[in-house]
Amino acid sequence: MTYLDYQATTPLAPEALAAMLPWFTDQHGNPHSAHRAGRLARAGVEVARDSVAALLPAGGRLAFTGGATESINWAIKGSEGGIVTIATEHAAVLDSVAAEAAHGRDVTILPVGADGLVDLAAARAAIRPGVGLVAAMLVNNEIGVIQPVADLAALAHAVGATMLCDAVQGYGRVAMPEGVDWIALSAHKVHGPKGIGGLWMRNGAPATLLHGGDQEGGRSGTLSPALCAGFGAAATLMREQAAVDTAHVEHLWQAARATLSPARGWTLNGDSARRYHGNVNVRRPGLDVARLMSDCRDLAFSAGSACASGSGRSSHVLRAIGLSEAAARSSIRIGFGRDTSEVALVAALERIADAAAAQ
């Protein structure tokens, strides 16, 4: 199978697997225990924490969590005051915000333009005194556009609000925006293991979401040294291979755009310039995506977020940028990265293009 769904998850890096294995085989200590085995495990966790934090703003504190969804829930449910967020956010944000609204919190959902970007004038009007939290995704998981998070952070701070950035798709790939207060991360989006993420906090932590042993200072639960080590190793690779990865993704982007081109009936969804180039979300009028996937069943690509793949709904992100229901359902997402070869990518996209044209 040719794997082209990097926004859903990335292949586990061999180096991350190698870092994890000793904690599954030879080392068994609980990192929160005081004996020698526990201290050894704790040291491994802290090495990993430093590795992940090396790609984040200086200072602050990184707490490990069970994943970005937990990090986002912790931040949103642990904040106070009104909330302002964006219509194209991940379900972890939008559903958490909806739950808070059901409990009486004031919530504003900002629209986006056809390019997928928030209107800063509308944001300025909505982020007013009484707002306690502004939440925005750095790189959109469906269409890849990069939101002006630093500008939103400045607006938030002007009224005393906290800025939460969902950096799951951007961590290690694009620069972290200035001025954010909380950053949510996920290991399996950067060639690390599933089941671990993090919440970086510039100053204070949100109110406690999970009560118990308070192992992570506001987040309870025994940490897995194996998962922490895998995340740390993956983060180190993202830092060390950043220039090579960026150049490779740019090369693949050019190849993908040349293959799924306007001349062949494909239209790019979202802004063409302000975006991460490892995401190609395109549409073709009348495309039957289910049939396309059946015709190309040995290619792994998607019609949108993996989190909503079984819902039967069209993409809320594509509807938010103004696409009709038919256009949203005629869109596909191609995601690629470090382990994707240009030959395999172009061959796969030619098959997709041919199958789509045959419809």
Side-chain angles (χ1 to χ4, degrees):
M1 176 170 286
T2 301
Y3 186 76
L4 300 174
D5 202 14
Y6 270 56
Q7 280 70 53
T9 194
T10 52
L12 181 67
E15 294 87 346
L17 176 60
M20 295 167 67
L21 286 177
W23 301 103
F24 288 126
T25 55
D26 303 324
Q27 307 294 336
H28 313 295
N30 184 320
H32 313 292
S33 296
H35 48 62
R36 184 168 179 262
R39 294 196 304 273
L40 181 64
R42 185 70 190 187
V45 167
E46 295 310 317
V47 167
R49 195 189 309 274
D50 289 345
S51 296
V52 176
L55 284 165
L56 296 170
R61 177 173 75 89
L62 173 70
F64 285 120
T65 65
T69 293
E70 182 190 320
S71 300
I72 288 166
N73 272 262
W74 183 11
I76 291 174
K77 295 175 182 178
S79 65
E80 296 180 345
I83 304 172
V84 175
T85 190
I86 303 174
T88 52
E89 293 299 299
H90 190 277
V93 168
L94 294 178
D95 289 358
S96 295
V97 165
E100 292 299 285
H103 288 96
R105 290 181 72 175
D106 182 57
V107 169
T108 300
I109 309 293
L110 296 171
V112 296
D115 56 7
L117 299 170
V118 69
D119 182 339
L120 287 174
R124 188 175 293 108
I127 301 172
R128 57 192 185 277
V131 170
L133 181 72
V134 178
M137 188 187 298
L138 179 57
V139 176
N140 188 268
N141 62 309
E142 293 199 34
I143 58 175
V145 299
I146 300 174
Q147 293 291 355
V149 173
D151 294 329
L152 294 171
L155 294 174
H157 294 160
V159 299
T162 298
M163 183 72 214
L164 165 64
C165 176
D166 171 358
V168 167
Q169 301 287 340
Y171 172 77
R173 297 186 173 96
V174 302
M176 290 294 104
E178 295 182 2
V180 297
D181 301 295
W182 296 333
I183 300 175
L185 307 170
S186 178
H188 75 99
K189 307 294 188 177
V190 292
H191 302 277
K194 298 173 182 65
I196 184 168
L199 182 66
W200 177 86
M201 299 158 277
R202 183 179 298 279
N203 294 309
T208 300
L209 177 66
L210 298 176
H211 295 84
D214 198 36
Q215 287 89 340
E216 286 290 271
R219 191 268 184 186
S220 297
T222 301
L223 292 177
S224 164
L227 294 180
C228 293
F231 194 178
T236 296
L237 278 176
M238 293 296 289
R239 186 175 72 254
E240 293 177 348
Q241 296 189 197
V244 173
D245 285 348
T246 299
H248 181 55
V249 165
E250 183 62 29
H251 191 67
L252 296 176
W253 161 265
Q254 297 297 337
R257 294 291 289 127
T259 307
L260 301 183
S261 66
R264 299 178 74 172
W266 298 91
T267 301
L268 185 69
N269 291 324
D271 192 85
S272 61
R274 291 165 290 183
R275 67 186 300 138
Y276 169 62
H277 282 176
N279 177 314
V280 177
N281 193 306
V282 289
R283 67 184 186 272
R284 181 183 171 95
L287 181 66
D288 183 335
V289 174
R291 177 180 165 190
L292 181 67
M293 288 183 166
S294 178
D295 290 342
C296 303
R297 65 189 65 186
D298 58 336
L299 307 179
F301 62 98
S302 79
S305 171
C307 300
S309 62
S311 68
R313 303 187 302 268
S314 62
S315 164
H316 73 282
V317 173
L318 297 181
R319 295 196 308 273
I321 66 173
L323 296 193
S324 67
E325 183 74 10
R329 291 186 179 276
S330 299
S331 299
I332 60 172
R333 183 185 67 181
I334 306 294
F336 42 77
R338 180 186 299 161
D339 298 322
T340 312
S341 76
E342 182 182 1
V343 170
L345 174 65
V346 172
L349 297 187
E350 287 288 357
R351 284 191 54 206
I352 289 172
D354 289 345
Q359 291 187 12

